[in-house]
Amino acid sequence: TLSCLQDMGELAGMFPDLVQGSSSGVSWTLKMLDLSLNWGLKMASPGSLQGLRVEILNLRGTQLGAVAVKALGLEKLDVLYAQTATAELAAETVAHFELQGLTVERSKIGYISQEALASCRSLEILGLSGTGLTELPPGFLAAMPRLRRLDLSGNRLQITTLCRNETGDASGLMTLNLSGNGLSTLPPATFSCVPHLRELLLPYNQLLSLEGHLFQDLQQLETLNLDKNPLLNLGKSWLAALPALTTLSLLDTQILRSPDPGFWGAKSLHTLSLRLPALDAPAVLSL
């Protein structure tokens, strides 16, 4: 990391037994190949890492696009982290390696086509933080039946598109990060297609009010983070629809100004994070 590599093919020169054709005739398996912060890295000579097996490849902070990885000749790749200015989802790379995880944060994707989405069935983890997304294509979650972790933070999503035109089959998604999307409202059916969700991250939005029926489909939710939201209006017993909730974070919100903060009904809650008001504004909490 933080070196002067310009071409991934240079690795074969430095470590010749990494690739096929070594004296042993056996290719290596690397748990991780971390090339992050090689700012000048922008080339991937075709076939230069022929036969190498890699579980995790980290290309954050390089100029190398995720699509270029396909030409290296890798025998196996499970998880890819990339960070370029290229507008790409790297769907061909996902399909070629049957990737389990893909993170293309801070890449200017903007829009995901149905064609690209069709190549992503193998993904279990997808990171699209800061990629300029404003909406998700119809059938987004249904197209990735193995998906368990989804990071959509730092975009400007119309969240109503998350479960739009789904097939009716429940997604197996367990972690959803929607922080920093400028969300001000959440319609009642927002989470109707993700009943297995265990962790929901919503900090750094503009949510003003929450009602219990919003969470009625999240019976297995254990962690809810609402930091940095105004939260001026809360429905009575708004947490009652979350019987499995154990961890709730409400830092830097205005929830304590409400006449009834409404913590009733969260029967499994054991970790609550709050920032208490100034000394001249006493807080009364009903827990």
Side-chain angles (χ1 to χ4, degrees), residues 110-112 114 117 128 132-144 150 152 155-167 171 173 176 178 181 183 185-194:
Y111 175 75
I112 300 174
Q114 291 288 350
L117 195 58
L128 297 171
L133 291 173
T134 57
E135 64 178 358
L136 300 174
F140 179 75
L141 292 177
M144 295 176 285
L150 177 61
L152 296 170
N155 291 292
R156 283 293 180 265
L157 281 172
Q158 303 171 24
I159 195 53
T160 54
T161 64
L162 179 67
C163 293
R164 180 182 63 180
N165 293 344
E166 292 297 317
T167 61
S171 168
L173 195 68
L176 176 60
L178 291 168
N181 270 276
L183 301 172
T185 58
L186 295 174
T190 297
F191 305 113
S192 60
C193 61
V194 286

Side-chain angles (χ1 to χ4, degrees), residues 1-22:
T1 66
L2 199 61
S3 299
C4 54
L5 290 175
Q6 297 183 13
D7 186 341
M8 283 188 68
E10 296 174 46
L11 293 172
M14 289 186 282
F15 309 104
D17 57 348
L18 277 179
V19 298
Q20 287 181 349
S22 63

Side-chain angles (χ1 to χ4, degrees), residues 1-286:
T1 66
L2 199 61
S3 299
C4 54
L5 290 175
Q6 297 183 13
D7 186 341
M8 283 188 68
E10 296 174 46
L11 293 172
M14 289 186 282
F15 309 104
D17 57 348
L18 277 179
V19 298
Q20 287 181 349
S22 63
S23 57
S24 65
V26 178
S27 59
W28 284 54
T29 296
L30 297 180
K31 189 169 186 67
M32 177 179 287
L33 176 55
D34 189 348
L35 300 174
S36 59
L37 304 181
N38 278 271
W39 306 112
L41 181 58
K42 56 184 177 182
M43 296 176 60
S45 296
S48 57
L49 297 180
Q50 189 69 38
L52 181 63
R53 300 166 63 88
V54 180
E55 293 184 18
I56 302 172
L57 175 58
N58 189 347
L59 296 175
R60 287 186 172 108
T62 73
Q63 300 181 56
L64 192 63
V67 174
V69 176
K70 180 181 173 183
L72 286 169
L74 296 175
E75 183 178 326
K76 173 190 174 183
L77 179 62
D78 294 334
V79 178
L80 174 62
Y81 296 95
Q83 178 185 325
T84 68
T86 308
E88 58 185 32
L89 182 60
E92 291 184 6
T93 303
V94 174
H96 179 76
F97 293 108
E98 294 187 345
L99 289 181
Q100 298 172 22
L102 174 67
T103 296
V104 285
E105 59 192 14
R106 291 186 287 280
S107 301
K108 300 303 179 183
I109 293 176
Y111 175 75
I112 300 174
S113 68
Q114 291 288 350
E115 291 77 14
L117 195 58
S119 300
C120 296
R121 292 186 61 83
S122 63
L123 289 177
E124 299 175 12
I125 301 172
L126 179 58
L128 297 171
S129 175
T131 52
L133 291 173
T134 57
E135 64 178 358
L136 300 174
F140 179 75
L141 292 177
M144 295 176 285
R146 301 180 185 178
L147 197 64
R148 296 296 177 266
R149 297 179 62 89
L150 177 61
D151 184 355
L152 296 170
S153 61
N155 291 292
R156 283 293 180 265
L157 281 172
Q158 303 171 24
I159 195 53
T160 54
T161 64
L162 179 67
C163 293
R164 180 182 63 180
N165 293 344
E166 292 297 317
T167 61
D169 297 330
S171 168
L173 195 68
M174 299 184 70
T175 297
L176 176 60
N177 188 346
L178 291 168
S179 60
N181 270 276
L183 301 172
S184 57
T185 58
L186 295 174
T190 297
F191 305 113
S192 60
C193 61
V194 286
H196 302 293
L197 209 60
R198 301 290 180 85
E199 183 179 25
L200 178 58
L201 308 177
L202 289 165
Y204 293 94
N205 282 295
Q206 302 298 322
L207 296 173
L208 291 169
S209 62
L210 293 174
E211 297 289 342
H213 57 73
L214 170 66
F215 303 119
Q216 63 185 358
D217 298 302
L218 301 180
Q219 297 294 296
Q220 298 182 42
L221 192 70
E222 298 173 353
T223 299
L224 177 59
N225 188 321
L226 290 163
D227 296 347
K228 301 285 186 178
N229 282 280
L231 296 183
L232 294 174
N233 303 304
L234 296 171
K236 188 175 182 180
S237 300
W238 63 286
L239 292 173
L242 297 172
L245 190 69
T246 61
T247 304
L248 175 63
S249 187
L250 295 163
L251 295 175
D252 295 319
T253 67
Q254 301 183 48
I255 189 171
L256 294 181
R257 297 184 182 181
S258 172
D260 180 5
F263 293 111
W264 297 105
K267 297 180 179 179
S268 301
L269 190 67
H270 61 58
T271 301
L272 174 63
S273 299
L274 290 168
R275 192 178 305 282
L276 295 176
L279 295 176
D280 58 353
V284 178
L285 300 180
S286 298

